[in-house]
């Protein structure tokens, strides 16, 4: 192996927690090595694994797929320290490699800057006066008019989606959109053919077989056999004409809830990290059990949290959105943590860094015609005590709506809901993010938790906040999604009747009940999923829009870290049951599954889709284990199932299967909701004008968990400056070098009349730890004040 260039400062990177496929590439120069890595560092010292390095050689093996980064062997004889792996930043030569095919079975291209370098997350701050963020120039790709005509002829995209520009401007030679792959063949001409100083600019777009040029100049081939096409116009980055599939409306057309079907998938574990989705991060740090402890350990060892931002950069990339559209899916649900907005000093999370990546998700969703369900997945104090809430509670303890700091934590959460609602309700974003899950799985219906009246009051206040931000009526702000808090949807019938667009969120799983796991064969599970249909139909009739925010094809709780880090499984009798059903090894080793198992799981997925009608699978992808180099929780990866045959290539098969749907095909006829949602439920006539019972839910609630009289609990006071989330900035390329004509894309806030200050700790008050206050003494200060928000005034509907 060639001697690497002089070493550069070591960077911690989760090398085997791969973007999609990492590959070694011996043909490229080794540009960087990390020779000053700490001795014995777990990321460099682990032994080569089969298929990645030849155990008897220091020469990397070459994978069949292209890579997102170079991987080399760290030679202690040359540099000192331990032998191991090191990574290289992508080189210009790497960026010029032929584009890889992206589609249902595609892989990532070779140009992504997977680790190290890159723009850091935008730093936010409190602002006493909201102001527009400073704008950064975003480099874009331009195309000439003649190439546009070829695209029209070759891929048959309708003429009205192309907008010819009538002006000509000189452009700099440094445009990042310049295409280095003009010699590549595809099923259509490349609509991103680079810059042309003398040709007119056009909307860049393409269908099946077209070449997509990304922001960094790298390319991939877009495969979509469902009639979908992408659109990205550098001069109009808010273009909403793309379609994920021919049957899915472009973002420019209003979604008809109850008529149009949500075929969605979660991007779980991306911006809100979960151990079983990104296991390699936790395998390197076995004492980490959640993002809280992972952050603490990373900070203690390396003095920074760059590993987490590298995860944001690489776990989900633009190609994933293209693949999601190619899979027949038209929505994504994106879990988002509160620390994406801000954190308090005693919270170890990486503050604000994930927000720029959510902005990337908005841009990619717009480009590929996909809608977003933004889900606030982690709340201050933890809303359920589970690891995905940010901090795993000791014995399941949590401090939202519970304990001495239960009200204060809820106040913080409400401000974060308000900040997000103000952003996504802007005209520039409301069509891309038309759905807002305000809290994931709040745990109310259990002994020692908090009364249903508390979460009802929280939902009622969130309704006021969100409608105050965007107004009422279809097209004004998002559909508001509330989880049933483990009471079941039926217990919410009649809640806030007459309100404007509230949806019920349910997460049906077959594997998390207490007690022994099922010993049934895979073929028995499709019929079990069909039982969900009656609950969904009843909720659609008696409550309103009902969508499954999460579900999977798991038939047992096997899988690395599926329950918790270091815990066992019900299936093996080592977690919440001592009844052993069998070994998890065959279920974790998906490569050994035969066609019978795969077909049973495929039928389970289709039966679930049939029963749920509107849904988001959990989750799009699972990262690989560093121990095996393979996915060890395969039931949960839609992408892996597509690639290997246990997820359907077309989700419409669920209702078009012979006999009236998959449930009928497996012998369980179901009754689907087939009527129309009432006008007020979808933002139509009367929506929000007379909300039954809204005034009966005071804020803050009068009682929470552990305190029948919540008035004596400490609160935060509305004296803090407002945090406004920044927008991504774009500069119109028509103005050429030396011009900074920014394209208006909003300023982060919809309702300028919404000027209530944020709830913050009262100066001089000694509050208890907001994450550990169940039995703390009640402070004598911090009484706060009741702040009632006026009901939103209905505005004319679009």
């Amino acid at each position: 192996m060639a001697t690497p260039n002089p070493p550069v400062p070591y960077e911690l990177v989760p090398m085997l927690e791969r973007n999609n496929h990492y590959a070694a590439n011996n043909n490229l120069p080794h540009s960087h090595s990390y020779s000053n890595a700490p001795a014995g560092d777990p990321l460099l010292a682990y032994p080569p694994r089969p298929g990645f390095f030849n155990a008897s050689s220091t020469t990397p093996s070459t994978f069949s797929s292209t890579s997102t980064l170079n991987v080399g062997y760290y030679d202690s004889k040359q540099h000192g320290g331990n032998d191991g792996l090191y990574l290289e930043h992508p080189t210009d030569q790497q960026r010029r490699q032929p584009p890889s095919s992206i589609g249902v079975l595609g892989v990532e291209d070779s140009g992504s800057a997977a680790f190290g370098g890159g723009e850091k997350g935008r730093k936010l701050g409190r602002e006493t006066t909201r102001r527009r963020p400073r704008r950064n120039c975003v480099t874009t790709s331009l195309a000439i008019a003649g190439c546009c005509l070829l695209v029209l002829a070759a891929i048959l995209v309708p003429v009205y989606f192309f907008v010819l520009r009538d002006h000509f401007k000189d452009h700099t030679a440094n445009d990042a959109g310049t295409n280095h792959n003009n010699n590549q063949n595809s099923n259509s001409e490349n609509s991103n053919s680079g810059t042309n100083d003398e040709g007119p600019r056009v909307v860049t777009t393409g269908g099946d077989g077209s070449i997509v040029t990304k922001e960094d100049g790298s390319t991939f081939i877009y495969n979509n056999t469902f009639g979908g096409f992408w659109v990205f116009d550098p001069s109009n980055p808010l273009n909403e004409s793309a379609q994920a599939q021919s049957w899915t409306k472009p973002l420019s057309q209003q979604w008809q809830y109850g008529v149009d079907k949500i075929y969605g998938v979660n991007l779980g574990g991306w911006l809100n990290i979960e151990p079983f989705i990104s296991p390699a991060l936790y395998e390197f740090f076995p004492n980490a059990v959640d993002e809280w402890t992972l952050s603490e350990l990373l900070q203690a060892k390396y003095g920074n949290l760059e590993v987490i931002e590298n995860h944001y950069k690489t776990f989900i990339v633009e190609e994933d959105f293209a693949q999601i559209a190619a899979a027949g899916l038209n929505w994504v649900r994106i879990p988002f943590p509160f620390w994406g907005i801000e954190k308090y000093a005693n919270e170890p999370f990486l503050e604000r860094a994930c927000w720029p990546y959510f902005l990337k998700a908005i841009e990619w969703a717009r480009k590929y015609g996909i809608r977003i369900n933004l889900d606030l997945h982690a709340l201050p104090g933890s809303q359920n005590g589970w690891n995905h809430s940010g901090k795993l509670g000791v014995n399941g303890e949590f401090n939202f709506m519970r304990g001495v700091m239960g009200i204060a934590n809820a106040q913080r959460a409400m401000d974060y809901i308000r900040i997000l609602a103000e952003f996504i309700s802007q005209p520039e974003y409301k069509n891309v993010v038309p759905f807002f899950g305000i809290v994931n799985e709040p745990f109310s219906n259990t002994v020692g938790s908090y009364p249903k009246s508390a979460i009802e009051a929280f939902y009622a206040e969130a309704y006021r906040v969100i409608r105050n931000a965007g107004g009422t009526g279809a097209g004004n702000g998002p559909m508001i999604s509330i989880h049933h808090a483990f009471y079941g949807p039926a217990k919410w019938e009649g809640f806030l009747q007459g309100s404007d667009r509230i949806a019920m969120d349910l997460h049906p799983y077959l594997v998390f009940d207490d007690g022994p796991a099922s010993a049934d064969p895979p073929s028995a599970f499709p019929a079990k999923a069909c039982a969900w249909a009656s609950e969904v139909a009843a909720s659609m009739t008696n409550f309103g829009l009902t969508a499954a925010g999460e579900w999977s094809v798991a038939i047992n709780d096997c899988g690395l870290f599926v329950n918790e880090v270091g815990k066992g499984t019900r299936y093996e009798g080592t977690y919440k049951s001592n009844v052993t059903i069998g070994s998890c090894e065959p279920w974790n080793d998906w490569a050994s599954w035969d066609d019978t198992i795969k077909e049973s799981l495929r039928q389970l997925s289709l039966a679930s889709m049939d029963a749920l009608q509107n849904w988001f699978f959990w989750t799009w992808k699972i990262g690989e284990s560093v121990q095996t180099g393979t996915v060890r929780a395969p039931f949960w990866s839609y992408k892996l199932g597509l690639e290997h045959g246990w997820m359907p290539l077309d989700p419409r098969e669920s209702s078009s299967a012979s006999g009236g749907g998959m449930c009928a095909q497996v012998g369980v006829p179901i009754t689907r909701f087939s009527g129309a949602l009432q006008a007020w439920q979808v933002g139509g006539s009367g929506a929000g004008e007379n909300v039954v019972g809204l005034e009966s839910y005071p804020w803050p609630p009068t009682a929470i968990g552990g305190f029948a009289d919540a008035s004596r609990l400490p609160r935060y006071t509305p004296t803090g400056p407002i945090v406004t989330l920044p927008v991504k900035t774009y500069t119109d390329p028509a103005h050429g070098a030396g011009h900074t004509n920014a394209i208006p894309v909003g300023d982060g806030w919809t309702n300028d009349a919404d000027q209530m200050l944020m709830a913050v700790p009262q100066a001089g008050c000694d509050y208890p730890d907001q994450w550990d206050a169940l039995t703390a003494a009640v402070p004598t200060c911090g009484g706060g004040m009741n702040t009632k928000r006026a009901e939103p005034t209905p505005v004319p509907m679009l």
Side-chain angles (χ1 to χ4, degrees):
M1 167 175 160
T3 302
N5 293 339
V8 298
Y10 171 72
E11 293 177 330
L12 174 64
V13 288
M15 286 176 286
L16 290 182
E17 196 258 311
R18 295 198 280 280
N19 179 10
N20 279 291
H21 297 281
Y22 289 174
N25 191 329
N26 297 333
N27 299 321
L28 299 179
H30 295 284
S31 58
H32 298 307
S33 65
Y34 303 103
S35 61
N36 56 338
D41 188 277
L43 293 183
L44 295 182
Y46 63 84
R49 63 174 175 79
F52 195 73
F53 275 80
N54 185 307
S56 61
S57 170
T58 60
T59 302
S61 302
T62 300
F63 279 85
S64 59
S65 62
T66 54
S67 68
T68 56
L69 70 166
N70 297 329
V71 183
Y73 192 82
Y74 182 82
D75 190 344
S76 62
K77 298 179 180 64
Q78 296 179 6
H79 302 288
N82 295 324
D83 289 355
L85 300 180
Y86 73 93
L87 301 183
E88 298 180 326
H89 297 296
T91 63
D92 288 340
Q93 179 180 352
Q94 192 177 12
R95 296 187 191 283
R96 289 193 292 270
Q97 296 300 305
S100 60
S101 179
I102 297 296
V104 173
L105 303 180
V107 297
E108 262 55 40
D109 72 284
S110 62
S112 297
F115 292 105
E119 181 182 357
K120 298 298 179 186
R122 185 193 302 267
K123 300 301 181 185
L124 311 184
R126 293 186 180 275
E127 300 180 5
T128 53
T129 302
R130 293 188 299 104
R131 56 187 180 272
R132 291 183 182 274
R134 288 174 294 179
R135 306 197 180 269
N136 297 322
C137 179
V138 177
T139 56
T140 56
S141 172
L142 305 178
I144 63 173
C147 184
C148 178
L149 294 176
L150 289 174
V151 171
L152 287 170
I155 61 177
L156 300 181
V157 176
V159 172
Y160 54 83
F161 288 117
F162 288 78
V163 181
L164 296 176
R165 301 293 178 180
D166 58 1
H167 51 275
F168 298 74
K169 294 289 182 179
D170 293 333
H171 306 299
T172 68
N174 295 324
D175 281 346
T178 300
N179 185 359
H180 297 291
N181 297 282
N182 290 335
N183 61 335
Q184 300 304 318
N185 295 323
S186 69
N187 294 334
S188 66
E189 294 294 332
N190 182 4
S191 58
N192 281 31
S193 58
T195 60
N196 186 322
D197 290 344
E198 299 182 4
R201 291 182 295 110
V202 300
V203 175
T204 55
T205 184
D208 186 30
S210 61
I211 294 178
V212 178
T213 299
K214 301 195 298 183
E215 189 174 11
D216 65 1
S218 60
T219 61
F220 65 86
I221 297 174
Y222 177 72
N223 291 337
N224 187 317
T225 60
F226 294 131
F229 59 91
W230 57 272
V231 176
F232 181 75
D233 178 4
S235 296
N236 178 18
L238 304 181
N239 188 305
E240 296 180 341
S241 61
Q243 284 187 253
Q245 305 87 25
S246 61
W247 65 81
T248 296
K249 294 175 178 176
L251 303 181
S252 57
Q253 296 181 22
Q254 197 167 99
W255 191 265
Q256 290 182 272
Y257 295 105
V259 177
D260 300 327
K261 295 298 183 184
I262 297 174
Y263 299 147
V265 66
N266 281 269
L267 301 184
W270 179 26
L271 306 181
N272 191 79
I273 300 173
E274 298 194 29
F276 92 97
I277 299 176
S278 298
L281 294 174
Y282 291 84
E283 289 175 301
F284 286 131
F285 295 92
N287 291 327
V289 296
D290 48 31
E291 194 161 345
W292 181 292
T293 50
L294 178 66
S295 300
E296 287 181 324
L297 291 168
L298 286 169
Q299 187 68 41
K301 188 172 181 64
Y302 299 104
N304 61 64
L305 298 178
E306 290 182 7
V307 167
I308 291 179
E309 185 162 3
N310 284 329
H311 169 81
Y312 297 155
K313 290 179 183 177
T314 60
F315 189 71
I316 296 294
V317 293
E318 180 175 340
E319 290 88 333
D320 287 295
F321 280 76
Q323 292 172 354
I324 287 167
L329 305 172
N330 50 24
W331 283 72
V332 292
R333 178 174 180 258
I334 302 182
F336 188 84
F338 75 85
W339 55 90
I341 301 171
E342 68 166 11
K343 71 179 184 69
Y344 282 3
N346 66 332
E347 295 165 342
F349 306 113
L350 181 58
E351 184 178 29
R352 310 177 182 118
C354 67
W355 177 252
Y357 296 93
F358 182 70
L359 293 180
K360 287 180 181 289
I362 290 176
E363 181 178 282
W364 296 334
R366 196 191 307 271
K367 184 173 182 175
Y368 296 100
I370 295 170
R371 290 167 172 84
I372 294 175
N373 172 2
L374 171 60
D375 186 76
L376 188 54
H377 219 68
L379 268 55
S382 174
Q383 71 273 21
N384 52 33
W386 297 327
N387 57 23
H388 55 70
S389 70
K391 186 175 185 180
L392 181 67
V394 177
N395 298 319
E397 294 176 353
F398 56 93
N399 288 262
F400 169 79
M401 289 291 192
R402 192 165 174 251
V404 174
M405 292 298 288
I407 292 291
N409 282 325
Q411 288 178 295
R412 278 183 74 189
M414 195 62 67
D415 273 335
Y416 300 147
I417 288 172
R418 173 189 174 208
I419 291 166
L420 290 170
E422 286 285 1
F423 189 94
I424 65 175
S425 296
Q426 296 176 98
E428 297 87 353
Y429 304 96
K430 64 183 182 179
N431 293 337
V432 189
V433 193
F435 212 97
F436 186 13
I438 57 178
V439 53
N440 179 65
E441 297 179 348
F443 201 15
S444 174
N445 188 23
T446 186
V447 176
S449 184
Y450 51 85
K452 186 169 180 278
S453 61
I455 194 64
E456 288 173 334
F458 184 82
Y459 286 165
E461 179 66 4
Y463 172 80
R464 297 184 190 103
V465 165
I466 295 169
R467 293 294 170 243
N468 185 61
T472 57
N476 296 314
M479 175 72 73
I480 302 170
S481 178
I482 64 172
H483 187 268
H484 55 77
F486 299 97
Y487 290 96
K491 296 294 185 180
W492 292 89
E493 293 176 6
F495 177 68
L496 298 187
Q497 188 172 2
S499 60
D500 176 26
R501 291 167 296 153
I502 296 182
M504 177 56 59
D505 180 24
L506 66 158
H507 299 176
Y509 289 118
L510 296 170
V511 298
F512 291 133
D513 293 335
D514 291 337
S518 172
D520 292 340
S523 59
F525 284 84
K528 296 182 181 183
C530 293
W532 297 330
S534 59
E535 183 177 54
V536 170
S539 183
M540 291 279 286
T541 301
N542 301 317
F543 179 86
L545 178 67
T546 301
E550 298 180 17
W551 62 279
S552 77
V553 293
I555 60 174
N556 54 54
D557 64 337
C558 293
L560 181 63
F561 303 154
V562 162
N563 291 309
E564 294 174 17
V565 175
K567 300 295 184 180
T569 65
R570 298 167 181 81
Y571 195 77
E572 293 179 315
T574 55
Y575 180 75
K576 293 191 174 182
S577 172
N578 58 8
V579 177
T580 301
I581 305 302
S583 169
C584 278
E585 186 55 32
W587 299 113
N588 295 342
D589 182 17
W590 56 267
S592 68
W593 293 353
D594 59 24
D595 290 343
T596 300
I597 291 176
K598 291 181 180 181
E599 178 57 21
S600 293
L601 294 178
R602 195 183 75 88
Q603 290 187 12
L604 171 58
S605 68
L606 290 169
S608 301
M609 295 172 184
D610 191 13
L612 298 173
Q613 298 190 58
N614 297 282
W615 46 264
F616 299 85
F617 183 89
W618 186 272
T619 183
W620 172 241
K621 64 179 288 189
I622 300 291
E624 296 174 349
S625 164
V626 72
Q627 300 296 328
T628 65
T630 61
V631 171
R632 299 290 288 171
F635 291 136
W636 302 86
S637 176
Y638 200 108
K639 182 176 181 180
L640 189 69
L642 281 175
E643 293 171 346
H644 297 283
W646 65 85
M647 294 301 293
L649 298 180
D650 184 347
R652 295 175 300 170
E653 294 180 49
S654 60
S655 57
S656 63
S658 61
M662 180 52 67
C663 285
Q665 185 173 317
V666 299
V668 186
I670 60 173
T671 300
R672 303 183 189 88
F673 175 78
S674 58
L677 293 172
Q678 297 184 56
W680 58 269
Q681 295 171 331
V682 294
S685 176
E689 294 179 2
N690 182 24
V691 184
V692 177
L694 183 61
E695 291 302 312
S696 66
Y697 298 108
W699 182 253
T702 57
I704 66 170
F707 290 89
D709 179 10
S711 64
R712 53 187 287 254
L713 296 177
R715 301 175 188 176
Y716 295 144
T717 59
T719 56
I722 300 169
V723 171
T724 304
L725 293 170
V727 299
K728 181 175 180 177
T729 56
Y730 299 87
T731 300
D732 191 341
H735 292 267
H739 296 272
T740 57
N741 187 41
I743 298 173
V745 289
D747 65 358
W749 203 260
T750 304
N751 183 4
D752 288 334
D754 182 5
Q755 293 295 321
M756 181 177 288
L757 298 178
M758 288 181 65
V760 296
Q762 178 181 318
C765 183
D766 187 16
Y767 292 88
D769 183 347
Q770 70 270 29
W771 293 81
D772 186 18
L774 296 183
T775 58
V778 178
T780 58
C781 57
M785 62 184 75
N786 284 317
T787 55
K788 180 162 181 61
R789 202 177 303 269
E791 289 190 50
T793 301
V795 298
M797 292 174 290
L798 300 180

